[in-house]
Amino acid sequence: MEKGALRGDKPKESCGIFGVYAPGKDVARLTYYGLYALQHRGQESAGIAVGNGQRILLHKGMGLVAEVFRRRDLEELQGFVAIGHVRYSTTGASSPLNAQPLVFRYAGGMLGLAHNGNLTNVAELRSRLFSTGSVFQSTTDSEVIVNLIARYGQSDLVGALMKCMIDLKGAYSLVILTEKRLMAVRDPFAFRPLCLGELPGGGYVVASESCALDTVGARWLRDVNPGEIVIIDEGGLTSLQGAISPRRAHCIFEYIYFARPDSTMDGFNVNRVRREMGRVLAQEYPVRADLVIPVPDSGTAAARGYAEAAGIPFEEGLMKNRYIGRTFIQPSQDLRDLGVRLKLNPIREVLAGKRVVMVDDSLVRGTTSSKLVAMMRDCGVAEVHLCLASPPVIRSCYYGIDTSDEAELIAAQKPPEEIRRLINADGLYYLSIEGLLSVFGDKRHNFCTACFTGDYPVPVDRTGKFSFEP
Ligand code: SF4
């Protein structure tokens, strides 16, 4: 069974990070709930580190948040400042050693760090650190950041972070804690999201997505700015520009697929953006059809938008099984055709005899789409048109999203007409890059679109994507 078939044939999420500074509150439990809200961003490992004024306590492990933490684990994490992390491995193997937060001792005391994003110059930094005596215990690029902080941070942590930001290239949203302080850092291009909120009765929260602020009852204050360092301690919240930002390059795929629809990031609500993408798609490709159905869940908002703009009824035509988790036993070779059907089952009564527009967010490898189209035909649809609320994915991501190697990206290998024939659809339509950007109005230049255009905001080595292993 190929891995992608049950994972929805989608790019894999990167990581989710969360931090809270709230003396007098149960910061471990707040972080636990925050990570729960960010679970969609990573399901391989989870961890929480808590500062109590004297030291940092840590609990982390492999699995979902609910699997990693028992009540007793949370009760032992007593303190007033905490960070947390959920991970999907984009660099470094899926192993307990790579689980975050990373916690270490250095000349300045104890430090914990959780990272979302990928560095693009990790091989160079790693070999530089190696040659001058650094040791590594994990294979994550996050440990490179830790080593740099330790090297620069003999007395002044903020100064060390600013020096690090000169060295670091690529994508990094970070939450950092000391025994008594919380810090949040966003790279100068602000590839990955990070926002800031305030708890009722005092205290601050930082999180990858605003849905995590809502979950813990925090009020959204603002997004962390590109290149900004936010420091939260007993003196309150202070902020400084750690590095100059040449431009913004927020990951546009966050809006297409990764982020939760109830999150608002850098001024745009994800659900609203997806709906608008569907509307633009309907204007670009007004298919004559009887029904619009989504591929749940990531295609749902765009399908609604398409249906509204096209004046075609919206229906739920595919039922999703929501209980297929990480520990699901994969079908054996002779049962592999069950793969997609275990996750999505068509509603024959809705579909039979109808001309159907099926809306999905993106097409990455194409394996799931051909099975979905086959299931539609089994149900007796008259026509099935696959409409995609994103342009063709033709390049890999080097900034923290696993979009597969280019050789596996079907749109990098084949033109749309060939893909249409391959998946046996009556029509295959992609949202244009112009159409996608039009959704963001005058902020259209604030986004990274490299996986659709090959226009990488930070230079990447396309030959050595994961070549930093020691
Ligand atoms: Fe996002 Fe694509 Fe840019 Fe990666 S390359 S940051 S997935 S828009």
Side-chain angles (χ1 to χ4, degrees), residues 191-192 249-254 258 395-401 403 447-452 456-457:
F191 281 103
R192 309 257 72 90
H250 311 312
C251 172
I252 211 160
F253 232 117
E254 292 274 359
F258 302 119
R395 292 280 184 270
S396 297
C397 176
Y398 297 80
Y399 308 129
I401 300 296
T403 45
F447 295 90
C448 172
T449 57
C451 48
F452 307 119
Y456 290 97

Side-chain angles (χ1 to χ4, degrees), residues 202-230:
Y204 292 97
V205 177
V206 282
S208 293
E209 292 183 36
S210 64
C211 65
L213 303 187
D214 298 337
T215 299
V216 301
R219 182 173 67 89
W220 181 90
L221 289 176
R222 64 179 175 86
D223 296 293
V224 177
N225 290 317
E228 184 182 6
I229 301 174
V230 175

Side-chain angles (χ1 to χ4, degrees), residues 11 79 137 157 163 248 250 276 296 367 441:
Q137 63 164 350
L157 182 54
K163 281 189 189 158
R248 288 173 181 261
H250 311 312
E276 196 53 34
T367 44

Side-chain angles (χ1 to χ4, degrees), residues 186-457:
R186 206 169 173 199
D187 71 68
F189 291 81
F191 281 103
R192 309 257 72 90
L194 194 62
C195 63
L196 190 59
E198 193 174 20
L199 286 164
Y204 292 97
V205 177
V206 282
S208 293
E209 292 183 36
S210 64
C211 65
L213 303 187
D214 298 337
T215 299
V216 301
R219 182 173 67 89
W220 181 90
L221 289 176
R222 64 179 175 86
D223 296 293
V224 177
N225 290 317
E228 184 182 6
I229 301 174
V230 175
I231 304 144
I232 303 163
D233 57 19
E234 61 184 354
L237 186 149
T238 49
S239 157
L240 61 111
Q241 194 65 30
I244 292 166
S245 170
R247 58 161 286 201
R248 288 173 181 261
H250 311 312
C251 172
I252 211 160
F253 232 117
E254 292 274 359
Y255 297 89
I256 293 167
Y257 173 68
F258 302 119
R260 254 174 55 164
D262 51 337
S263 288
T264 294
M265 304 178 312
D266 295 302
F268 294 93
N269 169 256
V270 175
N271 181 64
R272 187 175 291 226
V273 163
R274 287 185 188 161
R275 209 153 170 148
E276 196 53 34
M277 287 169 181
R279 297 184 73 87
V280 177
L281 187 58
Q283 284 151 16
E284 291 185 343
Y285 299 104
V287 179
R288 290 166 66 90
D290 305 308
L291 290 180
V292 176
I293 68 162
V295 178
D297 291 317
S298 50
T300 302
R304 283 194 190 282
Y306 190 104
E308 283 161 8
I312 300 172
F314 172 93
E315 286 271 6
E316 298 283 355
L318 287 164
M319 198 41 64
K320 181 173 178 176
N321 184 338
R322 296 178 193 283
Y323 302 100
I324 295 183
R326 196 184 55 90
T327 51
F328 177 77
I329 298 164
Q330 304 281 308
S332 55
Q333 189 67 20
D334 54 329
L335 294 178
R336 63 183 299 164
D337 282 343
L338 288 182
V340 175
R341 209 172 268 276
L342 284 164
K343 191 172 174 190
L344 293 168
N345 197 34
I347 306 174
R348 187 178 294 272
E349 289 67 20
V350 170
L351 300 167
K354 301 289 193 330
R355 296 169 301 170
V356 177
V357 167
M358 180 166 69
V359 181
D360 203 355
D361 58 282
S362 59
L363 183 67
V364 177
R365 297 194 306 165
T367 44
T368 301
S369 303
S370 55
K371 288 175 182 152
L372 283 178
V373 171
M375 289 193 315
M376 295 278 157
R377 297 217 183 275
D378 281 351
C379 288
V381 293
E383 293 171 18
V384 53
H385 302 264
L386 179 59
C387 289
L388 299 158
S390 67
V393 179
I394 56 166
R395 292 280 184 270
S396 297
C397 176
Y398 297 80
Y399 308 129
I401 300 296
D402 183 1
T403 45
S404 305
D405 292 333
E406 264 171 54
E408 292 175 18
L409 298 173
I410 192 165
Q413 307 300 325
K414 298 180 197 305
E417 175 54 21
E418 202 176 319
I419 300 171
R420 183 197 68 73
R421 277 204 305 268
L422 211 71
I423 65 174
N424 193 27
D426 295 290
L428 172 68
Y429 308 102
Y430 290 96
L431 180 64
S432 69
I433 188 79
E434 264 308 303
L436 171 63
L437 292 173
S438 71
V439 171
F440 297 96
D442 62 357
K443 299 285 190 297
R444 53 185 290 144
H445 302 295
N446 285 355
F447 295 90
C448 172
T449 57
C451 48
F452 307 119
T453 59
D455 180 12
Y456 290 97

Side-chain angles (χ1 to χ4, degrees), residues 90-91 118-119 122 396-398 401-405 461-468:
T90 47
T91 64
N118 271 12
L119 303 180
V122 71
S396 297
C397 176
Y398 297 80
I401 300 296
D402 183 1
T403 45
S404 305
D405 292 333
D461 174 7
R462 287 176 60 202
T463 58
K465 190 174 177 190
F466 301 124
S467 61
F468 66 91

